[in-house]
Amino acid sequence: MDRTDDTGTAHSTATETGPATGTGPATGTGPATATGPATATGPAEGAVLAAIRRHAVAILPDLRPADIVPERTLAELGLNSVDRSEVVTNVMDDLDVYVPITEFRQAMPVGDLVGLFERHR
């Protein structure tokens, strides 16, 4: 959204510096953490990251969507192997995509998961 100041200059009021909240589509324009940039760069990648966040939080309600960033693994966030499998299966269902199990590896960062799902869309 844009606003105009007293001089007639338009300014964007979109938040580009705060962490992702998981409540809307991720755009990849804000930082994923206080120390590094987000790796998701487009709306499609944002949709994949949002799906991962949604399903991870559904399984582990104490997990904050903003903690699910491209640099972290789901295991680091506290999801066990069964939880991670459920997240992956649910995301594939949401995106109507199939990724062969052989393409997943242990301790895969969320950003790599996003890329993997994107390659199979």
Side-chain angles (χ1 to χ4, degrees):
M1 181 183 333
D2 291 335
R3 66 170 175 78
T4 305
D5 66 14
D6 293 335
T7 64
T9 304
H11 298 277
S12 175
T13 58
T15 302
E16 294 183 1
T17 58
T21 62
T23 58
T27 61
T29 57
T33 66
T35 59
T39 58
T41 57
E45 291 163 332
V48 174
L49 181 58
I52 292 170
R53 285 179 171 146
R54 183 172 54 256
H55 290 293
V57 170
I59 292 167
L60 207 65
D62 289 339
L63 187 61
R64 294 179 325 141
D67 291 335
I68 304 170
V69 295
E71 297 81 12
R72 309 245 350 240
T73 67
L74 294 176
E76 290 172 342
L77 296 167
L79 286 96
N80 64 34
S81 60
V82 174
D83 297 337
R84 294 189 305 270
S85 176
E86 189 174 338
V87 168
V88 165
T89 301
N90 290 337
V91 170
M92 285 194 292
D93 287 345
D94 274 6
L95 301 175
D96 194 27
V97 65
Y98 173 74
V99 180
I101 192 94
T102 56
E103 294 198 35
F104 294 97
R105 65 178 197 281
Q106 199 71 6
M108 182 178 254
V110 170
D112 290 356
L113 279 175
V114 170
L116 185 60
F117 286 121
E118 282 301 310
R119 283 193 298 279
H120 289 275
R121 281 184 95 184

